[in-house]
């Protein structure tokens, strides 16, 4: 068997169809190589028990513990029976519960004093942590064959605990790993020999053996150090090659023109730019003046004035005879940008029109739902060059759209701008256009080096003068219902003081009947079974309740993604004009909506949103001179990770601090996989937040190697591993820049 092919061997050949199917569907593991790179999450020492006191809620866990007691209880007048088992480990206790026919086997086997591995999802019932219907494997029974095998396999060793799923426990994954472990010898080593020896790394086959079956804790450290390096290095080489390829492309230099559109725009600005805006503008202008395409990431807090910086770059390009396109992820946002840019430019946005300025240009909007006549006119203005600036959704990339001379593309809030879209836009310029990617999600430096590693980065970290502070509070709706009543009173007070408010919900609420049925079913769940999971709160239902109840008499309107674009636009206009008191919306308002008079925001089921999303949403209030208020309503249990997340958001307005917290709370450190990608990340061992030094060092080595040998002709092993990492999907994914 040659060196690569044993790693590419499908798992079903070695493990049997059923196991391979579960691994493919639930863990995204398809080949021997995939399984060998599915590393243990942690290790337990035999005889040393897990800390039951620290188990995370709502997560699938594997614990090693001892049975303290077990008892059968009857309910439903003796018709139902339930087995309750209490586990202990010295640090705390954990309850297991089994129902119905599932009680017989555990009742016989889980006797006080027995030690076993248990796997299941942690929930809370009657204020106690529990695992309902966990799977388990005895570690000290001499009569059960499987148990003996388990003890033999793990005797005196560190027990690897694998990231598992409901259908496949950690110990079954461990067994499967045993079956493929001999293939570790065939691992292709991506590190150049000089680098490996220079840094004193363990050879790759040995690192794989040590990570899966360590004899000592030092084995684990050795293996981790090596495997982290591989991940960081291969990824950084991929990004370095992408950056190198970009520097080889030609582009038209776009230099500022004295007395042009930009100067006219700056002259009528009613405020001065912040130091940060000046500095970042200079970085962008320097890039635009070169003859290869700019690839820059502009990140800045909500409201730090990114749009202003982007607009000045667009005006520079128009001055230099080119056109600029701004791509927004949604129609609501495209319309919003178009409105705010035409307002900022005033008569400069009416070039060629009556009352327009002589230096002006036309600013057009292009979205999928425009009427035929308006669309035809917009397309005509682009192809003739009449329109210097176009703002739109991905409709801009369609074949029909032709530009006179596309010089700059600004991508707003699109974390995944794939290779196909980039090529489609490139083909619309006479030469590849310059590219500016904007995000309001603060990204720690290490993530910028990985997720956006093929872009140069500029950061806007000052807020413009005149922005007000935002007070944030968690409202525990379940424990303290009167807090929720007070939240609605606060909204009413804001409206009475002449302000407006947002209420954000996770769902729209006009989903198909099916959803309704499953919701009813959830409500009927027996009290002894898994505590009911109600569906997330919905815009339409919440708006209805508020109109009838807590906010009766106020003007309450809804906004969500399934409304007709004209209807959405109408609601936003009336809200911006102050005719609507309270807007109940989904996250369509997350990005770019700017209504300075809106001072309060209530986020329902706040625990169902991510940290950075909550931060984005909160940035919609406090945009004027009055202070903002953000209330995070949650029914999550006080001790849950969800509540800890909300408290972190309430405690700081610093987006960079929150993005660190967000990363630390994501398990497995799998950040790339989280970046709006349906693609499995290549990161298994590397945690982007903790391994800053590894990433920075790997980046340096990668840049040096690619500069010396761009095609990696002298490093065939590295080329092989890169090809495996950058299969088609991943290449597109890495290609956001």
């Amino acid at each position: 068997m040659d060196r690569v092919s044993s790693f590419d061997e499908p798992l079903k050949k070695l493990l049997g169809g059923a196991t391979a199917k579960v691994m493919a569907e639930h863990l995204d593991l398809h080949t021997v190589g995939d399984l060998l790179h599915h590393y243990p999450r942690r290790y337990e020492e035999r005889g040393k028990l897990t800390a039951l006191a620290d188990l995370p809620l709502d997560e699938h866990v594997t614990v090693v513990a001892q049975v303290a007691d077990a008892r059968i209880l009857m309910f439903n007048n003796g018709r139902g029976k339930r087995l309750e088992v209490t586990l202990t480990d010295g640090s705390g206790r954990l309850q297991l519960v089994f129902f119905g026919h599932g009680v017989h086997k555990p009742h016989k086997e889980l006797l006080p004093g027995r030690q076993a591995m248990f796997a299941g999802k942690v929930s809370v019932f009657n204020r106690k942590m529990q695992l309902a219907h966990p799977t388990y494997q005895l570690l000290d029974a001499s009569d059960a064959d499987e148990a003996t095998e388990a003890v033999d396999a793990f005797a005196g060793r560190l027990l690897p605990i694998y990231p598992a799923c409901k259908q496949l426990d950690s110990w079954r994954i461990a067994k499967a790993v045993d079956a493929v472990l001999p293939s570790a010898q065939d691992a292709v080593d991506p590190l150049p020999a000089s680098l490996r020896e220079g840094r004193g790394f363990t050879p790759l086959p040995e690192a794989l053996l040590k990570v899966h079956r360590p004899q000592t804790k030092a084995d684990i450290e050795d293996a981790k150090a090596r495997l982290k390096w591989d991940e960081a290095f291969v990824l950084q080489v991929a990004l370095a090659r992408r950056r190198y390829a970009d520097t080889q492309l030609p582009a038209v230099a776009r230099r500022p023109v004295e007395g042009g559109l930009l100067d006219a725009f700056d002259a009528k600005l009613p405020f001065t730019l912040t130091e940060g805006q000046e500095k970042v503008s200079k970085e962008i202008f320097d890039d635009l003046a070169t003859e290869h395409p700019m690839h820059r990431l502009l990140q800045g807090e909500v409201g730090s004035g990114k749009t202003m910086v982007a607009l000045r770059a667009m005006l520079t390009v128009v001055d230099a005879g080119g056109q600029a396109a701004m791509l927004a992820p949604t129609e609501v946002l495209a319309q919003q940008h178009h409105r705010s840019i035409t307002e900022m430019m005033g008569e400069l946005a009416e070039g060629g029109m009556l009352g327009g300025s002589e230096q002006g240009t036309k600013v057009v909007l292009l979205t999928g739902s425009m009427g035929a006549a308006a669309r035809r006119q917009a397309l005509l203005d682009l192809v003739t060059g009449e329109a210097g600036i176009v703002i739109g959704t991905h409709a801009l990339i369609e074949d029909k759209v032709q530009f006179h001379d596309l010089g700059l593309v600004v991508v707003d809030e699109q974390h995944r701008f794939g290779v196909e879209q980039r090529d489609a836009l490139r083909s619309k310029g006479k030469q590849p256009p310059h590219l500016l990617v904007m995000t309001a999600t603060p990204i720690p430096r290490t993530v910028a080096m990985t997720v956006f590693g093929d872009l140069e980065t500029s950061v806007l970290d000052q807020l413009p003068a005149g922005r007000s502070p935002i007070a944030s509070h968690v409202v525990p709706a379940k424990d303290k219902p009167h807090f929720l009543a007070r939240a609605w009173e606060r909204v009413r007070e804001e409206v009475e003081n002449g302000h407006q408010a947002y209420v954000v919900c996770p769902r729209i609420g006009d989903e198909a009947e099916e959803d309704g049925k499953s919701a009813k079913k959830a409500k009927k769940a027996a009290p002894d079974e898994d505590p009911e999971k109600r569906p997330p709160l919905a815009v339409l239902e919440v708006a209805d309740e508020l109109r009838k109840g807590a906010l009766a008499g106020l003007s309450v309107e809804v906004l969500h993604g399934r409304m007709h674009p004209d209807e959405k636009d109408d609601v936003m206009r009336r809200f911006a004009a102050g005719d609507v008191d309270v807007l109940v919306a989904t996250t369509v308002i997350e990005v770019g909506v700017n209504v300075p008079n809106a001072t309060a925001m209530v986020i329902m089921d706040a625990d169902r949103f991510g940290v950075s999303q909550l931060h984005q949403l909160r940035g919609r209030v406090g945009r004027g001179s009055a202070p903002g208020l953000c209330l995070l309503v949650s029914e999550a249990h006080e001790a849950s990770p969800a509540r800890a997340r909300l408290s972190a958001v309430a405690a700081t307005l610093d987006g960079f601090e929150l993005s660190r917290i967000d990363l630390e709370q994501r398990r497995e450190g799998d950040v790339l996989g989280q970046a709006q990608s349906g693609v499995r990340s290549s990161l298994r061992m590397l945690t982007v937040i903790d391994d800053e030094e590894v990433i920075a060092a790997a980046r340096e080595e990668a840049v040096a190697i690619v500069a010396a040998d761009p095609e990696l002709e002298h490093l065939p092993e590295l080329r092989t591993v890169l090809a495996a990492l950058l299969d088609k999907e991943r290449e597109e994914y890495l290609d956001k820049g």
Side-chain angles (χ1 to χ4, degrees):
M1 192 184 291
D2 72 38
R3 287 162 22 112
V4 190
S5 64
S6 73
F7 255 48
D8 291 338
E9 195 79 35
L11 284 171
K12 58 174 174 276
K13 275 196 178 172
L14 288 154
L15 303 179
T19 306
K21 189 169 184 242
V22 171
M23 286 193 168
E25 285 176 9
H26 297 279
L27 297 169
D28 198 13
L29 305 175
H30 306 271
T31 64
V32 167
D34 289 343
L35 182 53
L36 285 173
H37 288 301
H38 186 71
Y39 306 130
R41 183 189 292 223
R42 57 190 168 82
Y43 302 84
E44 294 289 359
E45 292 175 63
R46 266 191 50 70
K48 184 180 171 201
L49 303 177
T50 326
L52 295 180
D54 306 333
L55 292 180
L57 264 184
D58 286 337
E59 295 228 1
H60 204 279
V61 298
T62 302
V63 296
V64 176
Q66 198 162 22
V67 177
D69 70 72
R71 58 184 189 278
I72 284 200
L73 303 171
M74 299 300 199
F75 60 93
N76 269 357
N77 296 329
R79 286 197 300 278
K81 67 166 63 163
R82 156 175 107 229
L83 171 66
E84 283 185 3
V85 179
T86 306
L87 302 181
T88 177
D89 69 340
S91 80
R93 291 183 161 236
L94 176 68
Q95 190 150 316
L96 311 180
V97 54
F98 299 88
F99 295 104
H101 299 305
V103 305
H104 305 305
K105 189 170 178 241
H107 189 222
K108 283 204 304 243
E109 294 181 338
L110 298 179
L111 305 173
R114 278 271 166 94
Q115 201 181 342
M117 277 196 279
F118 300 90
K121 196 172 181 186
V122 184
S123 56
V124 167
F125 187 66
N126 281 345
R127 296 188 179 271
K128 280 189 198 154
M129 297 271 234
Q130 71 165 25
L131 299 183
H133 278 287
T135 53
Y136 61 89
Q137 183 170 20
L138 301 170
L139 290 177
D140 57 1
S142 52
D143 53 341
D145 294 348
E146 210 170 300
T148 316
E149 208 177 298
V151 177
D152 291 346
F154 298 121
R157 279 200 211 158
L158 292 153
L159 293 178
I161 305 294
Y162 287 91
C165 61
K166 191 174 161 189
Q167 296 77 2
L168 203 61
D169 314 305
S170 169
W171 50 89
R172 292 205 176 88
I173 295 171
K175 250 182 166 163
V177 169
D178 283 336
V180 301
L181 213 46
S183 298
Q185 293 308 321
D186 301 329
V188 176
D189 196 326
L191 296 192
S194 56
L195 195 160
R196 189 172 65 238
E197 285 148 22
R199 291 186 176 263
F201 285 131
T202 305
L204 184 55
E206 196 183 314
L208 289 168
L209 284 172
K210 282 180 170 176
V211 79
H212 288 292
R213 297 295 171 260
Q215 301 293 326
T216 63
K217 288 185 175 166
D219 281 355
I220 299 171
E221 291 318 304
D222 258 11
K224 279 187 169 177
R226 167 65 216 253
L227 296 167
K228 277 182 180 182
W229 239 91
D230 280 18
E231 285 176 7
F233 176 71
V234 172
L235 186 60
Q236 290 304 333
V237 169
L239 294 165
R241 289 186 73 194
R242 168 66 52 210
R243 286 194 301 274
Y244 178 83
D246 286 339
T247 62
Q248 305 306 300
L249 291 169
V252 179
R254 311 282 178 174
R255 297 183 181 87
V257 172
E258 223 168 288
L261 193 52
L262 179 64
D263 287 353
F265 176 75
D266 284 351
K268 62 194 266 316
L269 275 182
F271 51 81
T272 53
L273 297 173
T274 64
E275 233 175 278
Q277 285 174 317
E278 292 279 13
K279 180 176 137 287
V280 170
S281 288
K282 184 181 181 318
E283 291 170 353
I284 292 171
F285 292 160
D286 289 350
D287 279 1
L288 289 173
T290 61
E291 293 187 346
H292 64 82
M294 162 171 84
H295 284 103
R296 190 165 282 280
L297 171 70
L298 170 57
Q299 50 168 320
E301 281 288 8
V302 174
S304 57
K306 290 185 302 299
T307 311
M308 173 62 69
V309 168
L311 177 55
R312 293 181 75 242
M314 290 159 84
L315 295 175
T316 303
V317 169
V318 175
D319 274 343
Q323 290 168 294
M326 185 185 238
L327 262 178
T330 64
E331 294 209 354
V332 169
L333 192 53
Q335 288 161 345
Q336 176 87 27
H337 276 317
H338 182 252
R339 204 159 39 233
S340 61
I341 283 174
T342 47
E343 278 164 17
M344 280 196 264
M345 287 175 65
E347 76 277 8
L348 296 172
E350 295 163 4
M353 292 189 248
L354 217 57
S357 156
E358 274 179 33
Q359 289 141 309
T361 186
K362 235 183 190 185
V363 178
V364 301
L365 176 69
L366 189 64
T367 62
S369 65
M370 281 169 75
R375 189 179 168 79
R376 239 192 334 270
Q377 185 58 53
L379 291 172
L380 188 66
D381 288 341
L382 285 180
V383 78
T384 59
E386 189 85 7
I389 294 177
V390 58
I391 294 146
T393 53
H394 277 76
L396 278 178
I397 300 172
E398 289 171 10
D399 293 347
K400 290 194 280 289
V401 183
Q402 295 300 323
F403 290 84
H404 178 65
D405 180 11
L406 180 61
L408 169 67
V409 175
V410 179
V411 181
D412 185 31
E413 282 305 337
Q414 189 74 335
H415 304 306
R416 224 175 95 69
F417 184 57
V419 69
E420 286 158 9
Q421 287 120 313
R422 176 150 87 179
D423 285 347
L425 265 172
R426 268 190 181 153
S427 66
K428 293 185 182 300
K430 291 175 180 157
Q431 288 191 325
H434 298 281
L435 178 75
L436 181 65
V437 178
M438 301 199 297
T439 176
T441 309
I443 302 166
R445 178 171 162 260
T446 42
V447 184
M449 284 196 297
T450 47
V451 180
F452 292 100
D454 51 348
L455 301 172
E456 300 299 324
T457 305
S458 295
V459 179
L460 275 176
D461 46 15
Q462 288 167 294
L463 286 188
R467 291 301 298 258
S468 303
I470 305 169
S472 307
H473 304 284
V474 179
V475 178
K478 205 169 193 171
D479 311 342
K480 300 180 177 162
H482 58 287
F483 276 37
L484 182 58
R486 176 72 190 118
W488 299 126
E489 278 171 30
R490 283 291 289 111
V491 169
R492 203 176 260 287
E493 286 162 18
E494 289 297 313
V495 172
E496 279 161 9
N497 290 332
H499 298 302
Q500 291 158 279
Y502 296 101
V503 177
V504 182
C505 304
R507 209 163 55 97
I508 296 173
D510 61 354
E511 287 83 351
E513 272 297 285
E514 286 311 301
D515 283 10
K517 283 180 197 157
S518 59
K520 278 183 193 145
K521 211 160 136 192
K523 286 200 171 110
K524 283 187 186 156
D528 281 287
E529 287 177 31
D530 208 9
E532 63 179 64
K533 282 256 184 286
R534 66 165 175 75
L537 291 170
V539 167
L540 301 176
E541 290 152 23
V542 168
D544 210 33
E545 279 173 32
L546 291 175
R547 284 186 192 114
K548 290 176 190 158
L551 302 182
L554 302 185
S555 156
V556 177
E557 293 273 0
V558 300
L559 181 72
H560 57 75
R562 244 180 263 151
M563 287 162 64
H564 187 276
D566 292 348
E567 211 182 337
K568 278 191 275 202
D569 212 29
D570 176 55
V571 172
M572 270 320 299
R573 261 179 219 287
R574 287 188 294 118
F575 188 63
D579 301 338
V580 173
D581 298 325
V582 179
L583 188 61
V584 184
T586 55
T587 52
V588 290
I589 60 148
E590 175 184 353
V591 180
V593 172
N594 185 20
V595 179
N597 191 45
T599 52
M601 175 175 285
V602 181
I603 304 178
M604 308 303 289
D605 278 342
D607 46 282
R608 308 215 186 199
F609 298 97
V611 169
S612 54
Q613 204 172 24
L614 290 169
H615 182 59
Q616 293 282 317
L617 286 165
R618 168 172 65 184
R620 299 296 123 220
V621 295
R623 297 178 81 88
S625 51
L629 171 69
C630 179
L631 302 174
L632 306 165
V633 179
S634 168
E635 290 189 0
H637 191 273
E638 200 170 346
S640 66
R643 274 286 284 280
R645 257 199 336 263
L646 296 182
S647 303
V649 174
T652 179
L653 290 171
D654 179 342
F656 283 92
E657 175 56 27
L658 285 173
S659 67
R660 283 193 78 86
I661 290 167
D662 193 17
L663 280 175
E664 280 161 7
Q665 291 191 335
R666 287 192 195 157
R667 302 188 69 83
E668 318 297 23
D670 195 351
V671 177
L672 288 198
Q674 298 288 343
Q676 275 86 54
S677 147
V679 179
R680 174 159 67 96
S681 150
S682 57
L683 299 194
R684 291 282 175 271
M685 184 63 79
L686 200 68
T687 51
V688 172
I689 201 75
D690 301 325
D691 298 319
E692 185 160 339
E693 284 153 30
V694 176
I695 292 169
R699 181 173 172 129
E700 252 171 66
E701 294 273 13
V703 167
I705 280 170
V706 171
D709 181 5
E711 293 305 315
L712 307 178
E713 282 168 18
H714 305 296
L715 298 167
E717 289 83 6
L718 178 54
R719 266 213 325 273
T720 302
V721 173
L722 257 185
L725 168 71
L726 299 182
D727 54 35
K728 182 125 176 55
E729 286 183 303
R730 292 184 196 172
E731 177 121 272
E732 278 176 28
Y733 165 58
L734 277 176
D735 239 314
K736 289 165 308 303

